[in-house]
Amino acid sequence: MAIKYNEKSRTFKLDAKDTSYIIAIVDEEQFIGHVYFGEKLPDENVNYLMRLEEAPFVPSKNNRNRLPFLDSFPTEYSTSGLGDFREPCLKVTTLSGAAVSGISYLSHKIYSGKPKLKGMPATFGEEDECTTLEITCVDKHLNLEVILVYSVFENLDVITRSVKVKNNCEESIMLNRVLSCCVDFDRIDFDVVTLHGAWSRERHINRRTVTLGKQGCSSFRGESSHQDNPFIAVMDKTATEDSGRVYGFNFVYSGNFIAQAEGCQFDTTRVVMGIHPMDFSWKLENGEEFTAPEVVMVYSNEGIGKMSRTLHDLYRNNLIRGEYKDKKRPILINNWEATYFDFNTDKLISIAKEASKLGIEMLVMDDGWFGNRSSDNCSLGDWVVNEEKLKGGLKYLVDEVNKLNMKFGIWFEPEMISPDSKLYRVHPDWCIHIEGRVGTLCRNQYVLDITREEVREYIYQSMKKVLLSANIEYIKWDMNRQLSDLGSSALPYDRQGELSHRYVLAVYDLMERLTSEFPHILLENCSGGGARFDAGMLYYSPQIWASDDTDAIERLKIQHGTSLVYPSSAIGAHVSDCPNHTVGRITPFETRGHVALAGTFGYELDVTKISKEDRDMIPKQVRMYHKYNDLIRTGDLYRINSLFENSEYNCIGYVSKDKAEALFIYVQVLARPNYHSRRVCLKGLDKNTYYRNEETGEVYSGAALMNGGILIKDLWGDFKSKLVHFVREGE
Ligand code: DGJ
């Protein structure tokens, strides 16, 4: 059993693949203490790690110093108002206005498998993969139950956590914060890594030292955001891509979040993760329960790289669902950068005709096909085909595209409403707003209050009508602004604080309904580029548009940062035209293909207008995609060099699980004068296997390729790239 309870030491030992996580019940007051998280340990009593024999001692020995005890005790779940002044996970206010809580152990259960989280995304696992521990704690004074839920993945270094809070009190209570995870590490000598950015610069890596005080990232923008990603890792200061202890935390949620490492007074570090308490409160009536979303915790004893590979395996196998979970995705061509709003049936068919000849498999019609939309100023909410633009209607267009042996995909932005729309004219109160206050526009649009049943129903039915009207096999679900003016006309005053979380639940509800009713549709998530690139979304959509910045060189950083957490199979990446529309850079078509290959792969250009030379390269790139996509989608990712460390080149590799095949993608960002070749040591190969370089026919051992390396030569000029493919000798 991956989770054991030892009656004598009163400890729970959770054993994942190479990881142990230990929790103890402490003192007669039954505090729930954190003992250990890290490398797998034998079954032994290591409760001394909690330092309970030192001052200020447990309250049964020294009650005059209860407060200092609470302020230093390594807890499994921090509460507020009694003396633990580090970051609290739980804050509860009673009708009397008191905001004090404290929990102690009541009971526990251990069972095989992993429970679902109602209405929310979560990783899943069979009974023979996962074991779950539920520790029920109580605040006797409040008559509140807090259930700490842990699931262990036995074949991965993964432990997940979530929390349920149940009000058994006669009166209602107000939850002011319910974070999902707290780990008190007994050390402060960590570095912390988070992912930050902006529109077009998503998920750049930020590494710094954990110091006294709080560091991390957060969002209260209503979505996980371009600016911050719901991920944090603390690690040995000496940890590298390939060595050192790394603890990664990722939130399976798409809304407001906090991810924080707090350096504390006794050189400990508290890591917390959960729904951001800003813009959150939840009224809990007698008998009601609130469930906080899931946090995935990963331990790696081989640096950041192994943490990523563990997360990739988990997400590919135990989070992503649906028909495309393990399937190669069709190569698509999206018309956004090709035409923006300026298209009609003929234009789209001309793109599809040319694209189909080149081997492209799906046409995606982006923004601008509905209402009167010819710019981003109007029509969101009016999901009715604009037949002036699409002469003959949608079905005609889709049928024509299908006749070319291509699939057809369509863009929606379901959560939004334009003030200039039929919908707004009829239902001006359907957006999130505060009565009497002028709403804050962004991209000239408001956010629909989809927490209201009738609004959600309207949106779903309008989408459904479009989807049933033609053979649509892909949806790009976009979301182009963040939430503001938080007010819902459907919620009473004391539930307005629930809006942000209810909003995320409503998005999940819509996506669950859509993917259940249209299981054959490939759903790609998007939010003004990559503002909702999170594990929550991966539960519904196996791929997410990573960024509106399609420049190959910018993408190296974006995709590298994204790959810290999320698998390449999920990273939406396209070849676009040059000069690049975001940065004006000119890069070779070949390099653009090599960079997009490390994602889902597709095109975002007018294939009828690009140069013949570029167009002629597309069939070769299509063959390249079909040749390597299985390896890229299912293999192990090894990051060899990144632009965050060295601005001259980038190199990543994919190695098949059986180590029989490997592909390395090398991009020379800046050419170096008087420098004839660069030696690059490969990673992830089997040192005892002999590999043949497919291009040169040379055969070397994995040991030589990893320790001696390969020589990259003959790349003339900036932004040049190269693929190096190895197969096991004899295959
Ligand atoms: C933002 C997306 O990221 C783009 O790809 C495109 O779909 C536009 N929205 C359309 O408005």
Side-chain angles (χ1 to χ4, degrees):
M1 200 67 167
I3 302 182
K4 297 182 204 107
Y5 178 61
N6 184 322
E7 296 259 359
K8 205 159 150 233
S9 57
R10 299 209 293 167
T11 53
F12 299 98
K13 183 155 182 281
L14 287 65
D15 285 328
K17 188 166 170 262
D18 297 317
T19 306
S20 291
Y21 188 98
I22 304 176
I23 303 162
I25 304 162
V26 168
D27 195 44
E28 14 186 91
E29 288 191 45
Q30 323 262 51
F31 299 107
I32 299 126
H34 176 72
V35 185
Y36 175 85
F37 182 20
E39 198 66 25
K40 195 171 214 166
L41 300 182
D43 294 346
E44 59 189 316
N45 185 345
V46 290
N47 284 359
Y48 68 89
L49 290 170
M50 286 182 291
R51 301 173 186 247
L52 301 177
E53 301 308 318
E54 298 172 18
F57 303 107
V58 289
S60 59
K61 281 197 198 151
N62 180 21
N63 197 34
R64 74 183 286 278
N65 269 332
R66 172 180 281 269
L67 184 146
F69 166 77
L70 293 173
D71 204 19
S72 58
F73 178 63
T75 183
E76 269 302 308
Y77 198 65
S78 53
T79 59
S80 46
L82 289 174
D84 181 351
F85 297 106
R86 296 160 291 173
E87 189 74 25
C89 287
L90 183 71
K91 184 173 175 210
V92 182
T93 309
T94 61
L95 286 184
S96 72
V100 173
S101 55
I103 55 168
S104 53
Y105 169 85
L106 179 70
S107 63
H108 72 267
K109 58 181 179 186
I110 297 172
Y111 53 90
S112 301
K114 185 172 187 296
K116 285 190 171 179
L117 298 190
K118 194 165 171 273
M120 276 190 291
T123 55
F124 48 82
E126 297 300 322
E127 297 211 339
D128 57 356
E129 284 180 284
C130 293
T131 309
T132 296
L133 163 68
E134 292 194 11
I135 306 179
T136 300
C137 319
V138 278
D139 180 319
K140 288 191 187 129
H141 186 82
L142 295 178
N143 215 347
L144 191 74
E145 257 179 36
V146 177
I147 303 159
L148 308 180
V149 186
Y150 303 79
S151 294
V152 173
F153 281 80
E154 296 175 29
N155 300 318
L156 281 172
D157 286 302
V158 171
I159 298 170
T160 63
R161 294 184 62 168
S162 64
V163 173
K164 292 185 275 187
V165 181
K166 191 168 175 204
N167 180 15
N168 292 326
C169 164
E170 303 274 283
E171 294 171 346
S172 68
I173 52 158
M174 194 62 91
L175 301 175
N176 306 111
R177 56 161 75 204
V178 187
L179 304 192
S180 299
C181 165
C182 170
V183 179
D184 279 343
F185 290 93
D186 191 13
R187 53 184 285 210
I188 197 174
D189 54 337
F190 279 129
D191 272 2
V192 58
V193 167
T194 47
L195 302 172
H196 298 262
W199 173 79
S200 260
R201 265 189 280 121
E202 293 92 339
R203 291 170 298 286
H204 282 209
I205 296 172
N206 189 325
R207 179 170 180 162
R208 57 226 185 265
T209 295
V210 170
T211 55
L212 292 170
K214 296 172 181 180
Q215 43 261 290
C217 60
S218 64
S219 162
F220 41 88
R221 296 167 182 269
E223 61 175 353
S224 40
S225 85
H226 298 98
Q227 290 74 10
D228 298 87
N229 194 262
F231 161 78
I232 190 167
V234 290
M235 59 193 71
D236 292 345
K237 283 177 188 294
T238 52
T240 66
E241 183 65 22
D242 308 301
S243 67
R245 288 170 295 183
V246 178
Y247 302 85
F249 299 82
N250 191 210
F251 203 22
V252 188
Y253 188 64
S254 312
N256 298 344
F257 73 90
I258 179 169
Q260 184 176 281
E262 176 184 8
C264 305
Q265 59 179 331
F266 300 116
D267 287 353
T268 61
T269 303
R270 170 168 291 177
V271 174
V272 296
M273 181 171 264
I275 295 181
H276 202 296
M278 173 88 173
D279 296 327
F280 172 82
S281 64
W282 198 272
K283 188 177 176 188
L284 216 53
E285 300 285 0
N286 168 266
E288 282 181 354
E289 194 171 90
F290 176 84
T291 304
E294 176 167 285
V295 168
V296 169
M297 306 194 297
V298 171
Y299 167 69
S300 159
N301 51 8
E302 285 171 33
I304 302 170
K306 186 177 169 196
M307 174 201 73
S308 300
R309 287 186 289 280
T310 302
L311 283 164
H312 298 171
D313 282 343
L314 178 75
Y315 291 166
R316 287 184 298 202
N317 300 321
N318 302 88
L319 179 66
I320 290 171
R321 304 175 298 168
E323 279 183 17
Y324 282 95
K325 180 175 189 272
D326 302 311
K327 240 170 64 181
K328 201 193 273 178
R329 323 280 159 72
I331 301 178
L332 66 81
I333 183 159
N334 177 302
N335 74 308
W336 179 241
E337 285 196 25
T339 65
Y340 295 100
F341 294 100
D342 185 17
F343 63 88
N344 57 27
T345 304
D346 290 345
K347 178 76 230 173
L348 293 177
I349 291 178
S350 73
I351 291 178
K353 268 195 183 138
E354 195 58 47
S356 69
K357 283 191 231 154
L358 302 168
I360 297 173
E361 298 157 320
M362 177 160 74
L363 176 77
V364 174
M365 178 173 67
D366 210 281
D367 192 356
W369 55 267
F370 52 92
N372 293 321
R373 191 148 165 110
S374 287
S375 75
D376 57 13
N377 277 322
C378 69
S379 301
L380 293 169
D382 299 344
W383 300 108
V384 176
V385 176
N386 178 341
E387 299 221 6
E388 297 212 343
K389 262 186 174 178
L390 299 189
K391 293 245 157 42
L394 183 61
K395 184 160 172 16
Y396 169 73
L397 171 64
V398 178
D399 287 348
E400 288 303 301
V401 171
N402 286 168
K403 277 186 209 155
L404 296 166
N405 263 330
M406 287 179 88
K407 295 180 191 294
F408 184 88
I410 197 168
W411 177 98
F412 281 102
E413 194 174 0
E415 301 155 66
M416 297 294 150
I417 181 166
S418 307
D420 180 7
S421 64
K422 283 189 182 155
L423 185 65
Y424 190 82
R425 283 186 276 279
V426 182
H427 295 292
D429 62 322
W430 271 18
C431 62
I432 291 181
H433 72 286
I434 291 169
E435 224 34 70
R437 183 181 274 279
V438 178
T440 312
L441 284 164
C442 177
R443 211 192 191 207
N444 222 352
Q445 64 199 54
Y446 295 126
V447 182
L448 276 171
D449 185 0
I450 51 171
T451 68
R452 291 170 62 171
E453 190 70 47
E454 68 277 30
V455 178
R456 218 159 56 238
E457 195 55 31
Y458 166 83
I459 287 302
Y460 187 76
Q461 293 305 338
S462 339
M463 289 177 82
K464 184 172 168 179
K465 202 164 165 201
V466 174
L467 296 177
L468 291 177
S469 72
N471 183 25
I472 292 168
E473 297 179 80
Y474 162 105
I475 293 175
K476 177 174 173 188
W477 181 307
D478 205 347
M479 194 263 196
N480 281 300
R481 63 157 292 174
Q482 300 167 337
L483 271 57
S484 65
D485 303 81
L486 293 175
S488 169
S489 45
L491 293 172
Y493 81 95
D494 55 353
R495 288 195 180 273
Q496 289 291 328
E498 299 176 13
L499 179 59
S500 297
H501 181 52
R502 282 183 184 273
Y503 182 85
V504 180
L505 295 179
V507 173
Y508 291 152
D509 181 59
L510 279 170
M511 288 192 179
E512 183 68 36
R513 208 166 153 191
L514 191 73
T515 49
S516 313
E517 198 168 344
F518 299 94
H520 69 287
I521 289 184
L522 171 59
L523 183 62
E524 174 154 353
N525 194 261
C526 169
S527 179
R532 223 156 41 179
F533 209 120
D534 57 63
M537 280 297 138
L538 287 182
Y539 190 63
Y540 306 95
S541 61
Q543 59 193 56
I544 304 175
W545 184 228
S547 178
D548 276 347
D549 196 334
T550 52
D551 173 70
I553 303 306
E554 294 304 310
R555 276 292 182 128
L556 292 175
K557 279 190 176 171
I558 294 168
Q559 294 179 189
H560 186 104
T562 305
S563 80
L564 244 52
V565 186
Y566 309 101
S568 300
S569 64
I571 299 179
H574 298 167
V575 174
S576 63
D577 200 9
C578 276
N580 178 266
H581 293 195
T582 308
V583 290
R585 188 175 286 132
I586 297 177
T587 51
F589 201 77
E590 183 178 43
T591 303
R592 285 176 256 159
H594 289 166
V595 174
L597 188 65
T600 54
F601 196 76
Y603 292 87
E604 179 124 0
L605 39 72
D606 187 342
V607 77
T608 66
K609 285 192 180 154
I610 57 171
S611 71
K612 181 173 175 323
E613 200 188 349
D614 287 354
R615 195 166 40 241
D616 286 350
M617 223 181 274
I618 293 180
K620 191 175 153 213
Q621 290 184 334
V622 166
R623 285 196 296 279
M624 166 185 82
Y625 168 79
H626 287 299
K627 178 169 178 185
Y628 296 124
N629 183 258
D630 282 346
L631 174 59
I632 290 169
R633 233 181 43 254
T634 64
D636 284 328
L637 172 71
Y638 288 86
R639 288 177 294 253
I640 293 172
N641 187 61
S642 91
L643 296 188
F644 293 105
E645 289 138 21
N646 170 331
S647 58
E648 288 190 0
Y649 76 101
N650 179 275
C651 185
I652 55 171
Y654 295 91
V655 180
S656 63
K657 290 279 177 194
D658 63 1
K659 303 227 180 255
E661 187 189 3
L663 176 74
F664 296 88
I665 305 176
Y666 179 93
V667 181
Q668 169 169 292
V669 176
L670 293 177
R672 207 182 204 198
N674 194 15
Y675 193 75
H676 303 293
S677 64
R678 181 186 294 282
R679 188 165 65 89
V680 178
C681 290
L682 306 183
K683 293 181 184 175
L685 303 171
D686 174 17
K687 64 177 192 250
N688 297 318
T689 294
Y690 280 80
Y691 293 93
R692 181 165 29 84
N693 179 326
E694 205 189 33
E695 187 192 2
T696 64
E698 292 166 320
V699 176
Y700 294 103
S701 66
L705 295 170
M706 291 192 291
N707 296 300
I710 55 170
L711 296 180
I712 302 278
K713 44 190 167 195
D714 304 330
L715 288 183
W716 176 248
D718 295 342
F719 314 136
K720 291 289 165 56
S721 63
K722 191 175 176 60
L723 299 184
V724 187
H725 184 218
F726 288 98
V727 285
R728 189 158 54 197
E729 177 58 347
E731 295 199 2

